C-alpha cells in the first residue's frame, strides 16, 4: 500500500498507536508534511461521511480524532519550522461555546504560529466572556481566531465576534472559519476575515494584521 494510503487508513480506522509509526515512516521516505497532512484531512472527511450514513458512531469518530491528533504531534514541528518569530503579535484562538471540535482549530493554530504569531489557545467550548478576558489579560493581542464546526454553534460565534467588535478592545482583527462558516456569514457577523482552510487562514491573518 502506498504510504499516504496507509496514513489515511490509520486515521479512518482510529489506529491511535500505529499512526505515529506510519507518519514517521512517510517522513523518512521523503513525503512532505503538507502531503501527509492532506491525507489525514481527507481521512477525516471519510470519517464524517461514514458518520452521516450511520456506518460508524461517536466512539469511532473519537478514535479517528485521537489518531489525527497523534499524527499532528509528529507533523507540527515540521510545519511550524524554526522561523517562528512572534513578530506579528499574539493570536488568541479557540472553538466557540458549545462546540467540542478542535482538529481544524489546532491546524489553523499551527499554520498561524508558523507565519509569526505567538499563540494562546483557549481550547474548545469557549464562552464569550472567556475570549474577552483572554484579550484583556494578554499583551499585544493583534488577532482573535474563532473556529466553529457545528451549524448549531454559529449563533455563539456571532455573539462572540459581535461582543469583541462592540467592546473598546482596539488594535486587533477577528478571523473566523470552520466547515459551516462562509465569507457571507463572516460579513454578516462583522468579522474582519474568513478563511476556508488552515493555510489560507495564515495568509489572511498576516494580511489583516499588516493592514492595521
Ligand atoms: Co462531529 N460533527 N459531532 N465530532 N465531526 C461533524 C462536524 C459533522 C459534519 C459530522 C457529520 O454529521 N457528517 C456534524 C456537524 C453537522 C452540522 O452541524 N451541520 C457533527 C456532529 C453532528 C457532531 C455531534 C452533534 C454528534 C452527536 O453527538 N450526535 C457532536 C457534537 C459535539 C459538540 O461539539 N458539542 C460531535 C462530536 C464529534 C466528536 C467529539 C466525536 C469528534 C471531534 C473530536 C475533536 O475534534 N477532538 C467529531 C468529529 C471528528 C467530526 C468530523 C468527523 C471530523 C471533524 C474534523 O476534525 N475534520 C466531522 C465531519 C467532517 O468534518 N466531515 C464532524 C478535519 C478538520 C481538519 O477539518 O475541522 O473542518 P475542519 O477544519 C478545517 C476547516 O473547517 C478550516 O480549516 C480546517 C482545514 O484546514 N477551519 C478554519 C476550521 N476552523 C477554522 C478557523 C479559521 C479558519 C479556517 O479561522 C479562525
Amino acid at each position: 500500500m502506498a504510504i499516504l494510503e496507509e496514513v489515511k487508513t490509520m486515521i479512518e480506522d482510529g489506529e491511535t498507536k500505529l499512526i505515529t509509526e506510519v507518519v514517521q515512516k512517510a517522513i523518512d521516505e521523503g513525503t512532505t508534511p503538507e502531503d501527509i497532512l492532506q491525507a489525514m484531512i481527507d481521512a477525516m472527511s471519510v470519517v464524517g461521511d461514514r458518520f452521516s450514513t450511520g456506518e460508524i458512531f461517536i466512539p469511532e469518530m473519537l478514535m479517528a480524532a485521537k489518531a489525527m491528533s497523534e499524527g499532528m504531534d509528529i507533523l507540527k514541528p515540521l510545519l511550524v519550522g524554526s522561523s517562528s518569530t512572534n513578530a506579528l503579535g499574539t493570536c488568541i484562538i479557540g472553538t466557540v461555546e458549545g462546540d467540542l471540535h478542535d482538529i481544524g482549530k489546532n491546524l489553523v493554530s499551527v499554520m498561524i504560529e508558523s507565519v509569526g504569531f505567538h499563540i494562546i489557545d483557549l481550547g474548545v467550548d469557549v464562552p464569550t466572556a472567556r475570549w474577552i478576558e483572554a484579550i484583556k489579560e494578554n499583551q499585544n493581542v493583534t488577532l482573535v481566531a474563532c473556529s466553529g464546526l457545528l451549524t448549531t454553534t454559529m449563533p455563539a460565534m456571532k455573539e462572540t465576534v459581535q461582543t469583541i467588535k462592540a467592546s473598546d478592545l482596539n488594535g486587533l482583527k477577528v478571523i473566523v472559519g470552520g466547515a459551516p462558516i462562509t465569507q457571507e456569514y463572516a460579513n454578516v457577523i462583522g468579522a474582519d476575515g474568513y478563511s476556508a482552510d488552515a493555510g489560507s487562514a495564515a495568509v489572511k491573518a498576516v494580511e489583516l494584521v499588516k493592514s492595521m
Side-chain angles (χ1 to χ4, degrees):
M1 195 190 298
I3 192 69
L4 289 179
E5 273 307 308
E6 216 176 315
V7 169
K8 209 164 159 259
T9 306
M10 291 292 142
I11 302 283
E12 288 169 15
D13 295 350
E15 293 284 1
T16 56
K17 298 225 160 48
L18 295 174
I19 183 71
T20 48
E21 218 174 275
V22 175
V23 168
Q24 191 56 55
K25 187 172 148 204
I27 294 165
D28 295 343
E29 284 183 7
T31 315
T32 66
E34 289 77 11
D35 284 347
I36 301 171
L37 179 59
Q38 192 54 56
M40 288 163 58
I41 292 174
D42 292 347
M44 292 309 286
S45 266
V46 173
V47 171
D49 292 345
R50 287 182 184 164
F51 178 73
S52 295
T53 56
E55 201 181 322
I56 61 166
F57 300 95
I58 300 279
E60 288 92 343
M61 272 214 288
L62 268 175
M63 292 306 281
K66 186 155 191 305
M68 172 100 190
S69 297
E70 300 282 340
M72 271 306 292
D73 285 348
I74 306 210
L75 289 186
K76 186 179 167 184
L78 302 172
L79 292 166
V80 172
S82 54
S83 60
S84 191
T85 60
N86 301 339
L88 293 173
T90 294
C91 167
I92 309 270
I93 191 166
T95 304
V96 297
E97 185 167 24
D99 199 328
L100 303 176
H101 296 85
D102 67 356
I103 295 174
K105 183 263 296 169
N106 293 343
L107 281 178
V108 172
S109 169
V110 167
M111 297 312 287
I112 289 182
E113 185 176 1
S114 75
V115 292
F117 286 86
H118 170 57
I119 299 285
I120 308 260
D121 189 342
L122 302 181
V124 296
D125 189 16
V126 183
T128 299
R130 179 68 195 113
W131 290 94
I132 300 288
E133 193 181 68
I135 297 167
K136 286 183 177 162
E137 72 194 14
N138 286 287
Q139 302 260 309
N140 193 22
V141 176
T142 51
L143 186 72
V144 175
C146 303
S147 175
L149 261 285
L150 296 170
T151 44
T152 49
T153 55
M154 288 167 73
M157 178 179 279
K158 180 177 176 188
E159 188 204 290
T160 296
V161 172
Q162 292 188 337
T163 305
I164 295 170
K165 298 305 283 183
S167 70
D168 56 358
L169 300 161
N170 299 314
L172 61 85
K173 297 284 184 183
V174 180
I175 182 172
V176 294
I181 311 302
T182 59
Q183 179 65 62
E184 195 187 7
Y185 189 70
N187 295 343
V188 167
I189 66 177
D192 300 298
Y194 156 80
S195 291
D197 58 56
S200 58
V203 172
K204 180 59 85 178
V206 174
E207 181 191 310
L208 286 173
V209 170
K210 284 196 169 164
S211 72
M212 283 198 291

